[in-house]
């Protein structure tokens, strides 16, 4: 077996990427403090061709050297928007008929294993602060709360791992 070279991967240019069909998802980072996590979220969003990334509260914004270390240019391909307060993002997304989905460990959450996203629906996936999770402000407004099953000793996954797991799950279920 031989690894493919970069020019053999047939990736679209940034302009081609901007024109292609997107996964009907906006990823929302709710007060994410690590710039490396922000950059990795951009790169993961690019990998799954989501519509956009919304950055809220203390979440850092491009351009920033520490974001670019992990984004590897994805800040150029993924549209993004900043909100001082996460409530502004929720309000805008609800007005555009996005389903508000928190990725959080909460009462009455639905296991990601059991959740089937509906086709022809738009989703706003909220990922929270590395310590405090999705803000209570958002939790009061959610349409759905999804929980990633875990089987080890740790209380949670890193936010970027969670983003990758959930985006892959949505991608695979919406493309069946």
């Amino acid at each position: 077996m031989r690894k493919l070279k970069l020019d053999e991967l047939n990736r679209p240019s940034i302009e081609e990427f901007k024109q292609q069909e997107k996964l009907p998802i906006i990823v929302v980072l709710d007060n994410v403090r690590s710039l490396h996590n922000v950059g990795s979220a951009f790169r993961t969003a690019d990998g799954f061709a989501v519509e956009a990334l919304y950055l809220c509260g203390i979440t850092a914004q491009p351009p920033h050297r520490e974001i670019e270390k992990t984004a590897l240019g994805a800040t150029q391909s993924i549209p993004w928007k900043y909100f001082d307060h996460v409530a502004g993002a929720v309000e805008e997304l609800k007005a555009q008929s996005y389903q508000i989905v928190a990725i959080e460990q909460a009462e009455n959450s639905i296991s990601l294993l059991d959740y089937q996203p509906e086709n022809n629906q738009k989703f706003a996936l909220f990922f929270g602060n590395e310590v405090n999770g999705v803000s209570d402000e958002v939790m009061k407004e959610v349409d759905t709360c999804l929980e990633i099953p875990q089987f080890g000793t740790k209380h949670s996954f890193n936010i970027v791992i969670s983003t990758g797991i959930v985006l892959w799950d949505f991608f695979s279920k919406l493309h069946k």
Side-chain angles (χ1 to χ4, degrees):
M1 186 165 298
R2 177 185 69 83
K3 295 190 309 184
L4 295 175
K5 295 181 171 133
L6 292 180
D7 62 345
E8 294 176 299
L9 296 177
N10 297 318
R11 297 292 187 249
S13 69
I14 290 176
E15 288 311 312
E16 291 168 333
F17 179 83
K18 288 180 179 181
Q19 301 303 315
Q20 77 184 42
E21 185 178 344
K22 301 293 187 290
L23 198 59
I25 291 174
I26 292 179
V27 172
V28 184
L29 302 184
D30 178 10
N31 288 300
V32 172
R33 65 183 180 181
S34 165
L35 280 73
H36 293 147
N37 283 342
V38 175
S40 292
F42 268 99
R43 188 171 173 188
T44 303
D46 175 277
F48 288 105
V50 303
E51 292 178 359
L53 200 65
Y54 282 9
L55 311 171
C56 303
I58 67 167
T59 307
Q61 308 149 61
H64 195 288
R65 187 178 57 130
E66 294 301 311
I67 292 173
E68 288 302 328
K69 274 186 181 178
T70 50
L72 296 178
T75 57
Q76 306 305 309
S77 59
I78 293 294
W80 62 274
K81 190 171 185 176
Y82 175 75
F83 294 85
D84 285 329
H85 302 285
V86 71
V90 172
E91 184 178 317
E92 180 176 302
L93 290 161
K94 280 188 172 231
Q96 295 176 18
S97 300
Y98 281 84
Q99 185 175 1
I100 306 302
V101 180
I103 312 305
E104 187 58 83
Q105 299 167 0
E107 290 178 342
N108 301 313
S109 63
I110 300 168
S111 172
L112 189 59
L113 290 170
D114 299 327
Y115 182 73
Q116 178 59 51
E118 294 178 29
N119 286 317
N120 303 316
Q121 174 67 51
K122 301 184 296 186
F123 303 92
L125 304 179
F126 283 75
F127 296 89
N129 177 275
E130 293 89 340
V131 174
N132 300 315
V134 175
S135 63
D136 291 338
E137 192 172 9
V138 173
M139 293 301 290
K140 291 176 186 173
E141 299 291 331
V142 300
D143 297 307
T144 304
C145 182
L146 299 178
E147 187 170 338
I148 301 168
Q150 291 185 224
F151 308 99
T153 63
K154 297 296 145 199
H155 296 112
S156 65
F157 289 110
N158 172 280
I159 180 176
V160 177
I161 301 302
S162 295
T163 304
I165 291 169
V166 173
L167 287 178
W168 170 251
D169 186 76
F170 271 68
F171 180 86
S172 64
K173 288 175 179 174
L174 290 171
H175 284 86
K176 279 189 175 177

